[in-house]
Amino acid sequence: MTKKPLSNNKTARKLTRNEKQRITIANLALIPSVIKDYIDALIKAYNPTFTYRLKAEFFYYIITTIIKRQNTYENKALENIPVALNATILRGIKSDYNEYIDWLIEQEVIFKAENYVHGLSSNKYCFADFVLPSLKLDSTSEIVEMKALESSKVIVARSIQESDVYEENKHLLKWFNDGLEVDFEKAVTYIEDLSYHEGEVVDLTHKKVHWNHQISTLHHKAFYATRNEESDFRLHTVLTNLKKIFKPFVTYEGQELVGYDLKNSQPFFLIFLIDSILNSNSRIDNILSKIYSKKVYNTFMLQKLREVLSTEDFQKEYEVFKTWVLNGEIYENMESIMNPKKRLGSYFANKYIARKKVTEKKKMDNVRALMKGVIFTLFFSGVNTRNSDYKTFKKVFPNLVTVIELFKKNANANFSKLLQNIESECIIDFVSKKIAKEYPEMPLFSIHDSLSTIESYAHVLEDLMHKYVFEYTGLMPKIEEERWKKFDYQIDYKKKVELHPEWY
């Protein structure tokens, strides 16, 4: 039986100093009913004997954590990929946590990936073939409470107000309350009927497991919030993991949501980064110090950066690239230098799949999407990539690419972390806080580089987002409006049903 979620409207008490040093996990979690029923039946039948007293909730926590991590941005395909579990959190909950993982493996609920290398990589887990068919046949989920997992090292937050990031992000997180709703029945029907996704008629069964989990989490108001200063520093919530195709079903107090995205955000923040170094803007210093050691940045990196940035050749390249970005036409202009070719009426991009260690061709709907992929390859691939698009771009902008590669010198991931930290400080810690202070009554939600509100405040948000992004960066941004109810994919889907009813 589904347990009733605790109220999210309770006043949160302040944490003590000792509590602040403890790890915080959310009390409410969503687990597929078929897995929970299977685990409960096995526990009842065999009563597994562990070092310390058995807590079934720990099994549920492991399962829900795997699903949540499979629902991340990195797993765009929403496949059953192996994901790492946080050993520090697991050990804080139960010192004998490996007994629980081993038991789930023995019962063929999960399995451990074989690419683990001691000292070099973490153990990774995904669902076993034994349970996958059941997940695909029955997508219902159940809310479970994790209060039993509280320990001297772990706090179980009864609501989002008790999460360890609530106070510093209260201006955004306070709106995760009973007013935030999803039209659950229509969303479920939409998932059941969907067989066409991202340009292809494909087997969507495992994606649907994740999609149902996303909308069920929102429907049951199992709200959560995380923000890790050691990684991207982005604010992650139930909305940041929600697939765009479900936006038309989401409302706040019955009103439509309207979002404003910072166009070309990653290239935009690259321009801000370079301008800040050129102009010795102290605003960037704190972010750089989080990603790079003072020794690395102040000696080698800063010296090399200033050396390249001061050259005439770089200045010429940078003027062109900066104009493209600030005019919001970077992808359109890149088409002229990349000269993409259509095959069989479509564009195709070479995409390296790390877990398979192969390069696959991915069909792209339009040339803009193709060029966006080139930028992401430029920003997030390794400096030794063999990607042909990367090489073509580097021929046209060799000095700009040299600057980007300097930020990747010690680790490829450092550059993406740097841009994401800049984005987060700008949008979360500056822009949204300024807006919330000026209009405290305006509902405000963030999804990385975008902010959303209800329709009656849309014009206010649009004006203020322009104003405060400019105030933070000194650059005039291009802001795109996105009406959640009129999301293009929903419209396209209806047209596809009319044109190809046999697919549905």
Side-chain angles (χ1 to χ4, degrees), residues 74-319:
E74 288 77 11
N75 184 20
K76 281 186 174 180
L78 292 179
E79 296 174 347
N80 182 36
I81 66 168
V83 293
L85 299 172
N86 189 317
T88 303
I89 296 177
L90 297 180
R91 193 178 297 110
I93 297 172
K94 297 286 287 183
S95 59
D96 59 334
Y97 74 89
N98 276 318
E99 291 181 321
Y100 285 78
I101 291 176
D102 292 343
W103 188 84
L104 288 172
I105 292 173
E106 288 171 12
Q107 306 308 323
E108 297 184 82
V109 178
I110 64 174
F111 78 89
K112 182 166 65 175
E114 296 179 357
N115 59 350
Y116 168 73
V117 180
H118 182 70
L120 296 177
S121 61
S122 303
N123 283 321
K124 293 185 177 181
Y125 306 90
C126 58
F127 292 109
D129 292 340
F130 177 74
V131 301
L132 283 178
S134 299
L135 278 174
K136 294 172 181 178
L137 289 172
D138 184 356
S139 60
T140 58
S141 297
E142 185 171 337
I143 284 284
V144 293
E145 293 181 12
M146 299 296 173
K147 196 64 183 174
L149 299 184
E150 194 155 65
S151 71
S152 60
K153 297 180 180 178
V154 173
I155 296 172
V156 178
R158 290 172 298 174
S159 65
I160 197 170
Q161 286 91 342
E162 289 192 355
S163 70
D164 53 0
V165 299
Y166 181 79
E167 284 303 319
E168 63 188 35
N169 301 284
K170 185 177 180 179
H171 63 295
L172 294 169
L173 297 181
K174 68 180 180 180
W175 303 107
F176 285 84
N177 53 41
D178 291 341
L180 185 60
E181 295 184 309
V182 61
D183 191 329
F184 187 66
E185 290 185 6
K186 286 186 178 179
V188 169
T189 301
Y190 180 80
I191 293 171
E192 289 174 351
D193 294 343
L194 191 60
S195 62
Y196 183 95
H197 181 62
E198 293 185 349
E200 297 179 2
V201 180
V202 292
D203 180 5
L204 299 176
T205 46
H206 198 73
K207 285 183 174 65
K208 290 182 179 183
V209 172
H210 289 287
W211 291 343
N212 274 293
H213 187 269
Q214 290 174 12
I215 62 170
S216 294
T217 301
L218 183 53
H219 173 62
H220 290 291
K221 305 190 189 305
F223 300 136
Y224 60 88
T226 61
R227 196 177 182 197
N228 188 351
E229 194 169 0
E230 301 300 318
S231 59
D232 60 12
F233 204 40
R234 285 172 158 180
L235 182 63
H236 296 272
T237 66
V238 64
L239 290 182
T240 58
N241 280 341
L242 188 71
K243 196 74 175 174
K244 284 186 176 181
I245 55 177
F246 301 120
K247 283 186 173 183
F249 304 108
V250 180
T251 56
Y252 185 77
E253 293 188 344
Q255 294 193 55
E256 175 187 347
L257 290 172
V258 181
Y260 292 94
D261 295 355
L262 180 58
K263 195 173 181 182
N264 308 331
S265 63
Q266 296 296 301
F268 180 84
F269 286 120
L270 171 59
I271 298 300
F272 170 65
L273 171 63
I274 292 174
D275 277 5
S276 296
I277 295 171
L278 286 170
N279 301 320
S280 300
N281 182 354
S282 60
R283 195 188 288 279
I284 209 74
D285 293 343
N286 180 54
I287 301 174
L288 286 164
S289 66
K290 289 198 299 183
I291 311 297
Y292 307 97
S293 68
K294 287 185 178 180
K295 183 178 179 181
V296 169
Y297 182 73
N298 289 334
T299 56
F300 165 76
M301 187 180 292
L302 188 58
Q303 181 182 341
K304 290 294 292 181
L305 280 169
R306 286 178 172 163
E307 189 179 301
V308 177
L309 296 179
S310 63
T311 65
E312 187 178 346
D313 287 340
F314 173 81
Q315 292 295 333
K316 288 179 179 178
E317 291 177 20
Y318 184 54
E319 185 179 352

Side-chain angles (χ1 to χ4, degrees), residues 456-489:
S456 55
Y457 279 102
H459 65 288
V460 175
L461 177 57
E462 182 178 18
D463 291 343
L464 293 183
M465 194 166 175
H466 274 99
K467 174 183 176 181
Y468 291 128
V469 171
F470 176 76
E471 185 176 321
Y472 182 88
T473 63
L475 304 169
M476 186 56 68
K478 292 288 183 181
I479 306 292
E480 282 187 321
E481 183 182 83
E482 178 191 63
R483 292 189 168 267
W484 287 34
K485 282 287 184 186
K486 297 180 179 178
F487 190 70
D488 290 343
Y489 194 94

Side-chain angles (χ1 to χ4, degrees), residues 27 44 107 161 193 203 246 310 322 359 391 396 403 423 448 461 483 494:
N27 181 36
K44 187 175 181 179
Q107 306 308 323
Q161 286 91 342
D193 294 343
D203 180 5
F246 301 120
S310 63
K322 184 175 180 178
T359 298
K391 291 179 179 179
V396 181
V403 169
E423 168 208 280
H448 304 324
L461 177 57
R483 292 189 168 267
K494 290 177 180 177

Side-chain angles (χ1 to χ4, degrees), residues 2 22-23 32 67 88 101 119 128 135 152 178 305 322 334 355 405 409 424 451 475 491 504:
T2 302
R22 292 159 69 186
I23 298 164
I67 294 176
T88 303
I101 291 176
L135 278 174
S152 60
D178 291 341
L305 280 169
K322 184 175 180 178
M334 280 181 59
R355 65 183 181 279
E405 290 179 346
K409 188 69 177 178
S424 184
L451 294 172
L475 304 169
I491 296 168
Y504 302 91

